[in-house]
Amino acid sequence: MDTQEFWTLIDDARAQVAHAADAEAVAARAADLLSARPVDEIVAFQQVFWDLMAASYRQPLWAAAYTINGGCSDDGFDYFRGWLIAQGREVFDRAVADPDELAGLSAVRDAAVEGWEMECEEALGIAWDAHLTATGKELPGDSFTIRYPELDPGWDFDFDDTGEIARRLPRLAALYGE
């Protein structure tokens, strides 16, 4: 499985759930679809997933997640990026390139009004769930690697600094301003 096949599976899952913005439903459907694939594709999916997680491991996106969710731990950032992957390739690519673009998503605008968090821990388990369904066994822990890049020191500031967030992520700051 390559990156294109990964995104096709996510798109198929999104198309088959009642609400494509429901990240948990997308993750569950993606696991179902993936479980019907050969085991080597399930394992390869996990590597592509973590390659995308590493590609999105950026402080500007972390600042956006912090703003949207009212805080964001290490695990919370993983769950946010899981939610982001469940939104599909176009949203993912735009958000990684410019996290302030998230302010244009209706789900993010609705979350600002309702106080919802944008997280999907279940996305991190898509391959695990698929492998268990397909084989009755857990996904081998050594079947993938995670290579996080260094974080940008230019974004090493307190994300509670609303003035700095407003300067760097103006649309999100306006949406989530107090």
Side-chain angles (χ1 to χ4, degrees):
M1 175 166 296
D2 62 16
T3 304
Q4 182 59 44
E5 292 169 315
F6 175 96
W7 286 118
T8 297
L9 189 135
I10 295 296
D11 287 345
D12 290 348
R14 289 174 52 75
Q16 295 176 26
V17 297
H19 301 286
D22 181 349
E24 288 82 10
V26 171
R29 186 65 191 134
D32 289 342
L33 293 172
L34 185 60
S35 70
R37 303 271 186 113
V39 173
D40 62 325
E41 288 188 33
I42 296 170
V43 173
F45 179 97
Q46 182 73 337
Q47 185 60 61
V48 173
F49 179 87
W50 283 101
D51 289 346
L52 292 168
M53 290 287 283
S56 61
Y57 187 77
R58 299 171 183 226
Q59 278 181 295
L61 189 60
W62 203 332
Y66 192 96
T67 301
I68 291 167
N69 289 340
C72 191
S73 66
D74 292 348
D75 288 347
F77 189 42
D78 283 348
Y79 306 155
F80 175 82
R81 289 177 293 139
W83 169 85
L84 188 59
I85 286 171
Q87 303 310 301
R89 184 178 203 161
E90 181 181 335
V91 170
F92 178 86
D93 287 345
R94 278 192 334 219
V96 171
D98 181 2
D100 207 33
E101 286 290 313
L102 288 166
L105 290 179
S106 60
V108 172
R109 290 192 309 272
D110 291 347
V113 172
E114 300 295 334
W116 299 329
E117 290 188 359
M118 309 275 55
E119 293 185 340
C120 184
E121 181 178 1
E122 295 82 357
L124 280 65
I126 292 171
W128 289 93
D129 294 343
H131 194 274
L132 188 58
T133 298
T135 68
K137 298 176 184 174
E138 290 186 3
L139 185 70
D142 64 351
S143 61
F144 63 98
T145 58
I146 304 169
R147 295 177 206 92
Y148 283 127
E150 293 294 320
L151 291 172
D152 180 355
W155 278 78
D156 187 17
F157 66 93
D158 182 352
F159 294 157
D160 283 321
D161 183 340
T162 57
E164 193 63 23
I165 290 291
R167 186 177 76 74
R168 294 175 186 238
L169 301 169
R171 294 176 60 203
L172 282 173
L175 190 58
Y176 284 86
E178 299 180 327

